[in-house]
């Protein structure tokens, strides 16, 4: 999915919601365990209930790799189901890959050829040659970690060099030499809302993937106030607050209701910005 297609979906659905599929059997409702593949069936039910209200899905690989072949089979089935049943949704593999060049090339082949996923989260710490292989795939997106929502982000990402430039700012500036707003996005946590104004000064046109709204307490209004651009430029992710909103037999319906509530809030913010 290219930039224009993604923006068209945002306008069509009046939403920039990304639903995170952080699927944990310990939190899934008991009713799905009677089915042959509980992880996949849970995902399928969540997807069908939330698809009208979101533009993207973000399966987190850790929640599938933890269960070995069974988990990865569920991941592949989930991706294939999305492409078959909901082909206009943007798919993000949240895997945070990044290694020396030849290893990154294999990671890129895995996600962009074998799984044929739209985008992949990538850690930029090892520099250009660790990121470049992911950027060689036309029509695919690299989503670089820039300023994350976890408490420990302050340990490194906000440290300053002798000129007063913070590490996340250096990541933004340097990586713009590698990719463009048409194939690179950045992860910026919603709990870092006070930084969005500064981030937009450096990368005014790039899409930002924003985790941390919902269970982590990030403010959607603050994110949009400083982070939204003329094409919205945001994919705001919510995982636990949607997919685990209920543990009873009606879990999917309630997840859909939670996604609709966020979509309605997003529609108002898009309208207020003159985008829809």
């Amino acid at each position: 999915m290219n930039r224009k297609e993604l923006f068209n979906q945002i306008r069509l659905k009046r939403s920039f919601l990304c639903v995170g599929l952080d699927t944990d059997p310990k939190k899934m409702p008991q009713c799905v365990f009677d089915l042959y593949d509980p992880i996949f069936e849970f995902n399928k039910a969540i997807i069908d209930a939330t698809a009208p209200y979101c533009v993207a899905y973000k399966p987190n690989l850790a929640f599938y790799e933890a269960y070995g072949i069974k988990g990865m089979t569920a991941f592949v089935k989930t991706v294939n189901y999305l492409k078959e049943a909901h082909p206009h949704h943007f798919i993000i593999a949240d895997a945070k890959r990044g290694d020396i060049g030849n290893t990154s090339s294999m990671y890129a082949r895995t996600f962009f050829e074998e799984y044929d996923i739209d985008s992949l989260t990538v850690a930029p710490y090892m520099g250009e040659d660790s990121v470049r292989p992911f950027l060689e795939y036309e029509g695919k997106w690299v989503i670089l970690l820039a300023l994350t929502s976890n408490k420990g982000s302050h340990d490194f990402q906000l440290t300053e060099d002798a000129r007063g430039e913070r590490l996340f700012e250096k990541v933004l500036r340097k990586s713009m030499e590698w990719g463009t707003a048409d194939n690179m996005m950045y992860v910026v946590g919603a709990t870092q809302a006070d930084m969005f104004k500064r981030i937009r000064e450096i990368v005014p046109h790039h899409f930002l993937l924003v985790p941390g709204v919902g269970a982590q307490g990030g403010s959607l209004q603050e994110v949009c106030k400083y982070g939204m651009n003329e094409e919205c430029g945001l994919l705001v992710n919510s995982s636990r607050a949607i997919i685990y909103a209920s543990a009873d037999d009606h879990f999917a319906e309630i997840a859909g209701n939670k996604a609709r509530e966020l979509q309605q809030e997003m529609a108002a913010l898009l309208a207020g910005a003159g985008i829809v």
Side-chain angles (χ1 to χ4, degrees):
M1 181 179 291
N2 62 36
R3 183 188 183 93
K4 182 179 179 181
E5 291 167 338
L6 179 56
F7 182 46
N8 285 342
Q9 286 300 306
I10 290 171
R11 295 182 66 186
L12 177 67
K13 296 215 174 148
R14 298 184 301 136
S15 172
F16 45 97
L17 175 62
C18 173
V19 174
L21 298 174
D22 299 2
T23 308
D24 184 351
K26 295 179 181 178
K27 298 179 181 178
M28 285 160 38
Q30 192 60 41
C31 61
V32 302
F33 290 98
D34 296 330
L35 304 173
Y36 174 72
D37 187 342
I39 294 176
F40 168 68
E41 294 295 344
F42 176 82
N43 284 352
K44 180 176 180 292
I46 292 289
I47 289 165
D48 289 340
T50 59
Y53 313 113
C54 68
V55 297
Y57 288 96
K58 183 176 71 64
N60 186 319
L61 267 292
F63 289 85
Y64 303 90
E65 292 171 340
Y67 294 94
I69 292 174
K70 290 191 299 182
M72 288 308 296
T73 298
F75 167 75
V76 172
K77 287 169 66 176
T78 298
V79 170
N80 289 341
Y81 181 72
L82 277 169
K83 290 192 286 190
E84 292 166 5
H86 303 282
H88 299 298
H89 284 73
F90 189 70
I91 304 175
I92 301 166
D94 190 0
K96 300 178 180 68
R97 297 300 196 250
D99 208 323
I100 60 173
N102 63 333
T103 307
S104 282
S105 293
M106 299 306 289
Y107 282 138
R109 181 184 298 180
T110 299
F111 291 98
F112 293 154
E113 293 185 32
E114 179 67 22
Y115 299 144
D116 191 25
I117 288 174
D118 294 303
S119 63
L120 176 69
T121 56
V122 174
Y125 182 75
M126 292 179 68
E128 179 179 2
D129 60 315
S130 70
V131 176
R132 182 68 66 182
F134 299 102
L135 293 166
E136 293 175 354
Y137 287 82
E138 186 174 353
K140 303 298 185 181
W141 293 80
V142 169
I143 308 180
L144 282 187
L145 303 180
L147 187 57
T148 55
S149 57
N150 61 303
K151 181 180 178 181
S153 64
H154 292 242
D155 292 343
F156 298 113
Q157 296 166 26
L158 296 181
T159 57
E160 299 181 3
D161 63 16
R163 297 176 298 171
E165 183 178 48
R166 290 168 290 191
L167 181 58
F168 81 87
E169 295 171 320
K170 188 183 295 292
V171 168
L172 293 172
R173 286 199 181 91
K174 186 64 180 178
S175 62
M176 289 176 71
E177 300 174 10
W178 311 337
T180 71
D182 292 320
N183 67 356
M184 185 180 289
M185 303 184 188
Y186 296 99
V187 175
V188 181
T191 56
Q192 307 281 7
D194 56 330
M195 298 289 184
F196 273 80
K197 184 176 181 181
R198 178 59 182 150
I199 288 167
R200 277 305 185 203
E201 290 174 359
I202 302 172
V203 288
H205 305 300
H206 289 69
F207 265 88
L208 306 178
L209 172 63
V210 185
V213 167
Q216 295 185 54
S219 167
L220 180 62
Q221 291 77 15
E222 287 294 301
V223 167
C224 291
K225 180 178 179 180
Y226 299 109
M228 190 176 283
N229 63 21
E230 67 279 0
E231 291 184 320
C232 179
L234 299 170
L235 291 174
V236 171
N237 182 80
S238 181
S239 301
R240 287 170 286 170
I242 291 177
I243 69 174
Y244 300 129
S246 171
D248 65 21
D249 291 359
H250 302 288
F251 72 94
E253 178 184 353
I254 294 171
N257 291 340
K258 291 293 184 181
R260 184 175 66 248
E261 290 173 7
L262 265 177
Q263 180 272 325
Q264 291 173 346
E265 191 174 351
M266 290 176 174
L269 291 163
L270 287 166
I275 294 173
V276 298

